[in-house]
Amino acid sequence: MDAREFRNALGRFATGVTVVTVPNGEGVRGITANAFMSVSLNPPLVVVSIDKKARAHALLLQAERYGVSILREDQEALSNHFAGLEGGAEPALGTFAGLLVVEGALAHLVCRTVDRHEAGDHTLFIGEVEALRYREGRPLLYFRGKYGHFRHPEEAPELTV
């Protein structure tokens, strides 16, 4: 099958948007990732899939810990910044549990890398969650190569006849 067709088909799966941060000699390197999911509740494990060509990949291979910031619906420009795209905004970073994370995100997780698996042109980084915090708000979504926004059914306007 054609790689573009494969990507188009999988683009029909809506995901949230995260920024994965990892310390480096200059402070922090971050990368936008929508290939992120929970793996286990006990112990609490997550996985993030990172392209081997990404600048942050080599740092993640060496890192013992990494941060995950789950972005809010109004943080599209921050997603673009960490993806290296036009229209990116300079991020406001804060410290949580010893790692830099994106300020104002819906959730922050600090993970200790427990395993790595090569999977084609990506590496799966499995992390045990050491610390987390979260707030209320709406997530930034990604669907068919574009950003989207979530509206909870309870927030939908009532229909009148």
Side-chain angles (χ1 to χ4, degrees), residues 21-154:
T21 50
V22 60
N24 71 8
E26 303 158 9
V28 68
R29 168 76 70 182
I31 185 169
T32 299
N34 69 332
F36 169 81
M37 68 177 192
S38 64
V39 175
S40 168
L41 293 176
N42 190 17
L45 299 175
V46 296
V47 65
V48 62
S49 178
I50 304 293
D51 190 320
K52 292 177 183 177
K53 293 181 280 187
R55 294 173 293 167
H57 184 269
L59 292 171
L60 275 163
L61 283 175
Q62 299 169 4
E64 293 181 21
R65 298 169 79 219
Y66 60 91
V68 178
S69 301
I70 299 173
L71 299 186
R72 275 189 341 249
E73 69 178 351
D74 62 347
Q75 293 180 311
E76 184 177 320
L78 293 173
S79 173
N80 287 339
H81 171 83
F82 286 105
L85 300 174
E86 299 267 335
E90 195 62 35
L93 299 175
T95 303
F96 175 61
L99 285 179
L100 289 172
V101 292
V102 176
E103 284 289 339
L106 281 181
H108 296 123
L109 294 86
V110 171
C111 305
R112 180 177 48 81
T113 303
V114 294
D115 211 350
R116 298 166 187 86
H117 294 280
E118 287 195 27
D121 56 5
H122 281 60
T123 300
L124 306 177
F125 294 90
I126 300 174
E128 183 168 357
V129 180
E130 296 182 330
L132 61 82
R133 65 183 179 189
Y134 57 92
R135 68 180 72 210
E136 293 301 316
R138 294 187 194 141
L140 179 61
L141 299 180
Y142 199 69
F143 177 71
R144 292 179 57 191
K146 296 182 179 159
Y147 294 108
H149 303 282
F150 176 76
R151 175 177 283 184
H152 195 279
E154 294 172 4

